[in-house]
Amino acid sequence: VTDVRNEDDAAIGERTRTFDYHDHRLDGIFDEYRWLHERCPVGRSEELGGFAFLAKLDDIFAAEQDPETFSVAPSMLLPPFATDDPLIPIDIDPPAHGPYRKILLPAFTPRRIADLTPGMRDTARELAQACVDAGTADVAATFCLPFPLIVFSRLCGFPEEDWPRFGRWLHDIIYERLTDPPRARASGDELRAYFDELLRRKAQEPRREDLISVLLDAEVEGRGLTHAELISYCYLLFLAGLDTAAWSIRSGLRYLGLHPEAQAQLRDDPSLIPAAAEEVLRTMSPVQGMARTCVRDTVVRGQEIRAGERVVLLFGAGNRDPEAFEDPDEIRFDREKNRHLAFGGGIHRCLGSNLGRRELVVALEEFLATTPWFRCTDPEQPWFGVGPLTLEFTERP
Amino acid sequence: VTRVRVTGMCQGHARCIALAPDTFDFDDEGYAVVRPGCEVVTEERAAAVQRAVLNCPEAAIVLDAEGGDPVD
């Protein structure tokens, strides 16, 4: 019996040794998650410098509630976002973390986001109309990416004349950090230099109703933020606020473009769209995993994790955990219980989750309201990322 | 009689505010609070409150029977 089990363990270890949750590895990862839930809910990979991973929703949740065991140092990002410096506030542990986070909490409350909504609708409708007018369009480039970029850049106070430069920085830092690290680094350096200059300029100007102004006037423990801290905070906002929203909108439209019955359902009853958005977030989470570092020996589901090990919380797997969700791989607009962790949880819950949710809901509502019907012409385009998504617009069948 | 409260586990996901706006509000930092006077879950608000409980990612919403024993 022992031999069989050891062989089994060896086979499991052999399979998870090469596990990764980035880029092309996301093709077919839902099958992999299903296998992890059955055979290896806590495992180890040798990729990315080596990491343990947690696939069960309960285990991910528990780790997020325990920052004294699971530290965010040196970075939640594995590999990091083209920088060796911790990003504020996500890469900061308590007690320093709270004061940084508090600065922007009031800017992201449901009421503040509701105030932004009419402007968001106008932007979404204009962009969607341009897609329809083209007949066939790569809506990733013409809707999913520009919509949150416009909304979030206005909120932050990133000047409009600079927006055309943002796409390459985002792509290089987030997506090329695995395939072409020097290119990611070069763009990271450019982005920091951009904020260095922008922050110096805005510090001299009258304050406006934007997040950069809030940061410039903010105090943590009786002092203002240093210039380096300001750059770090802006760098994080830029990377967190633009790519993830675009991903979720693109994945939602792709799903509707491939599932006419679901598209018809939302067109006939738009009150289902918020629930549909939750299912899009749950099943195709833009952040499939975030890393921690175990800082004291611990045990998760019978598996020892040692101090010093990197530990990846696989939100994408947890959100498809059969013990947490009935028919976890099904998108169901009438799902009653949906405690997904697409925005993480605990003290590092995505600061912009209210904005991200609203952007997705508004994007789907306005896209459906502006277009008569659409379908995906290339089902081979991946479900993940922000690459091309070709939609053809027709009359409703 | 069932009473509802939000515990210190709340991290401001605001699902309850979306699903049961008659019962939940939020403070200046976006953390959920039960609207004053709404602590007792009336029949007409019960279904929405239950949805909020089932969709709170932090399991931060607790229902208590009048005696103080957790209901769920």
Side-chain angles (χ1 to χ4, degrees), chain A residues 302-314:
Chain A
Q303 294 283 321
E304 260 182 77
I305 296 178
R306 293 202 182 77
E309 275 194 89
R310 294 291 264 157
V311 181
V312 171
L313 314 181
L314 288 173

Side-chain angles (χ1 to χ4, degrees), chain A residues 26-286:
Chain A
L26 292 169
D27 254 333
I29 201 157
F30 305 143
D31 294 333
E32 198 65 16
Y33 289 157
R34 208 173 303 123
W35 183 83
L36 292 180
H37 285 305
E38 281 167 24
R39 303 298 303 277
C40 186
V42 180
R44 279 190 174 73
S45 168
E46 291 171 15
E47 297 294 315
L48 307 170
F51 60 90
F53 57 79
L54 311 182
K56 303 290 289 180
L57 193 75
D58 280 355
D59 295 342
I60 294 167
F61 180 77
E64 294 218 279
Q65 307 297 326
D66 185 7
E68 287 176 9
T69 304
F70 296 100
S71 160
V72 289
S75 177
M76 256 199 216
L77 281 310
L78 181 66
F81 272 164
T83 173
D84 297 322
D85 302 325
L87 297 177
I88 298 172
I90 67 166
D91 294 339
I92 310 290
D93 284 313
H97 167 260
Y100 285 125
R101 185 175 165 91
K102 264 176 186 294
I103 297 169
L104 288 189
L105 275 176
F108 287 106
T109 62
R111 192 161 297 129
R112 298 293 287 274
I113 302 310
D115 292 343
L116 299 173
T117 302
M120 286 166 63
R121 289 201 185 285
D122 294 343
T123 302
R125 218 173 297 135
E126 265 173 50
L127 292 168
Q129 188 58 52
C131 295
V132 187
D133 292 345
T136 301
D138 169 14
V139 299
T142 54
F143 185 80
C144 310
L145 281 160
F147 172 60
L149 190 147
I150 293 168
V151 170
F152 194 61
S153 295
R154 282 189 183 139
L155 176 64
C156 290
F158 304 153
E160 189 164 346
E161 60 270 24
D162 300 334
W163 297 352
R165 303 160 72 188
F166 291 178
R168 185 174 56 82
W169 289 334
L170 274 174
H171 172 82
D172 287 357
I173 295 168
I174 296 175
Y175 294 98
E176 297 292 342
R177 73 193 211 273
L178 294 130
T179 45
D180 190 349
R183 181 167 152 190
R185 283 280 161 161
S187 278
D189 291 345
E190 279 181 40
L191 182 55
R192 263 187 304 280
Y194 168 71
F195 282 126
D196 176 30
E197 194 270 311
L198 179 66
L199 284 158
R200 283 178 204 282
R201 183 151 46 89
K202 289 196 61 120
Q204 306 302 318
E205 291 172 2
R207 295 292 184 266
R208 298 189 191 179
E209 292 271 313
D210 60 38
L211 299 191
I212 288 188
S213 294
V214 174
L215 292 175
L216 285 167
D217 289 338
E219 287 200 355
V220 281
E221 286 160 351
R223 62 168 181 86
L225 294 177
T226 65
H227 189 62
E229 287 172 325
L230 287 166
I231 292 174
S232 171
Y233 218 136
C234 287
Y235 189 86
L236 184 269
L237 286 177
F238 181 93
L239 294 167
L242 300 176
D243 173 73
T244 49
W247 172 316
S248 67
I249 294 166
R250 180 189 171 284
S251 65
L253 292 181
R254 179 177 179 277
Y255 178 79
L256 296 177
L258 291 172
H259 296 85
E261 69 298 336
Q263 187 182 148
Q265 210 183 344
L266 296 189
R267 287 183 181 281
D268 293 340
D269 184 0
S271 74
L272 294 173
I273 292 174
E278 291 304 311
E279 282 291 87
V280 167
L281 289 166
R282 180 181 71 82
T283 58
M284 295 173 281
S285 313

Side-chain angles (χ1 to χ4, degrees), chain B residues 23-67:
Chain B
T23 301
F24 299 97
D25 200 355
F26 53 90
D27 67 16
D28 292 344
E29 292 182 340
Y31 295 103
V33 293
V34 176
R35 288 182 182 277
C38 292
E39 294 85 357
V40 172
V41 182
T42 58
E43 205 173 318
E44 59 187 357
R45 289 187 287 108
V49 169
Q50 190 58 33
R51 266 201 301 283
V53 170
L54 292 175
N55 287 275
C56 175
E58 308 284 351
I61 303 169
V62 176
L63 301 177
D64 300 302
E66 186 66 290

